[in-house]
């Protein structure tokens, strides 16, 4: 049975996700250290997603949707406290590490000062995530998990031709 299209996701976005699968990219705009940054994020391939999801479930007692919610709640709390970023010292160390792994695997590129797309290798993404101060890496990891879940949902909506 097909899952209904929700108001949160347009039919065209779901179709694009369904067609492109792991090649789908979504730009994520955020502010880091006073600068506007746009990261190009991709859903995690199963070889990366499944170990992360299993770790979250087995060691932290949450699924990927609950992990995304935890990141969103931490982001809201930081904003309410007037902070620029999530305070990762208030989070479980294993959770932070897991979100950073998702960020490294899902960060595929960004845009330079002239607005040109710059593709990143996994090694470059890892270096960038390790250099991030505060909770930016956790925020990006949460967004990558959200996109990964959306792609999986896209295969279930009416009009999908099956799995990716």
């Amino acid at each position: 049975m097909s899952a209904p299209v929700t108001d949160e996701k347009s039919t065209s976005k779901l179709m694009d996700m369904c067609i492109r699968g792991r090649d789908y990219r979504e730009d994520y705009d955020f502010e880091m250290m006073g600068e506007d940054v746009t990261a190009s994020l991709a859903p995690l391939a199963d070889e990366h997603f499944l170990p992360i999801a299993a770790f979250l479930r087995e060691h932290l007692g949450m699924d990927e949707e609950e992990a995304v919610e935890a990141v969103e709640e931490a982001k809201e709390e930081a904003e309410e406290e007037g902070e620029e970023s999530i305070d990762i010292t208030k989070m479980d160390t294993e959770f932070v590490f897991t979100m950073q792994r998702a960020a490294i695997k899902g960060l595929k590129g960004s845009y330079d000062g002239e607005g040109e797309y710059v593709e990143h290798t996994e090694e470059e993404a890892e270096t960038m995530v390790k250099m991030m101060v505060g909770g930016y890496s956790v925020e990006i990891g949460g967004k990558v998990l959200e996109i990964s879940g959306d792609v999986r949902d896209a295969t279930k909506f009416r009009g999908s031709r099956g799995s990716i």
Side-chain angles (χ1 to χ4, degrees):
M1 189 81 179
S2 297
V5 176
T6 66
D7 292 336
E8 297 173 21
K9 300 175 211 142
S10 71
T11 303
S12 62
K13 179 178 177 179
L14 288 170
M15 183 62 79
D16 190 30
M17 289 178 154
C18 189
I19 291 169
R20 293 175 59 198
R22 78 165 81 185
D23 292 329
Y24 175 80
R25 299 289 181 270
E26 189 168 307
D27 288 347
Y28 181 61
D29 299 318
F30 62 103
E31 188 176 308
M32 182 167 65
M33 310 289 262
E35 297 290 325
D36 291 331
V37 178
T38 301
S40 179
L41 306 176
L44 299 175
D46 284 347
E47 68 182 295
H48 302 295
F49 177 78
L50 295 175
I52 288 173
F55 183 83
L56 288 169
R57 188 169 291 112
E58 292 175 24
H59 297 282
L60 301 177
M62 61 175 58
D63 62 21
E64 65 276 4
E65 289 177 6
E66 292 168 320
V68 171
E69 288 174 18
V71 171
E72 288 300 318
E73 288 171 7
K75 190 175 165 186
E76 287 173 16
E77 182 180 316
E79 288 172 2
E80 288 172 3
E81 294 176 3
E83 297 295 324
E84 191 175 308
S85 173
I86 295 170
D87 184 353
I88 60 174
T89 64
K90 295 179 181 178
M91 302 180 104
D92 180 89
T93 305
E94 291 179 325
F95 179 78
V96 170
F97 179 75
T98 303
M99 292 298 99
Q100 289 172 335
R101 294 304 314 156
I104 290 166
K105 299 295 185 184
L107 180 60
K108 300 300 181 188
S110 60
Y111 296 85
D112 65 15
E114 288 79 44
E116 296 293 317
Y117 180 73
V118 178
E119 193 167 328
H120 301 306
T121 65
E122 187 173 322
E123 292 78 26
E124 290 169 334
E126 185 170 7
T127 299
M128 292 168 72
V129 167
K130 285 181 177 181
M131 290 180 12
M132 290 179 181
V133 176
Y136 299 110
S137 58
V138 170
E139 184 178 338
I140 291 170
K143 187 65 179 172
V144 168
L145 285 183
E146 180 182 335
I147 293 167
S148 299
D150 288 349
V151 168
R152 282 162 181 72
D153 290 347
T155 64
K156 300 174 191 166
F157 92 100
R158 172 179 264 150
S160 170
R161 293 184 180 168
S163 63
I164 297 174

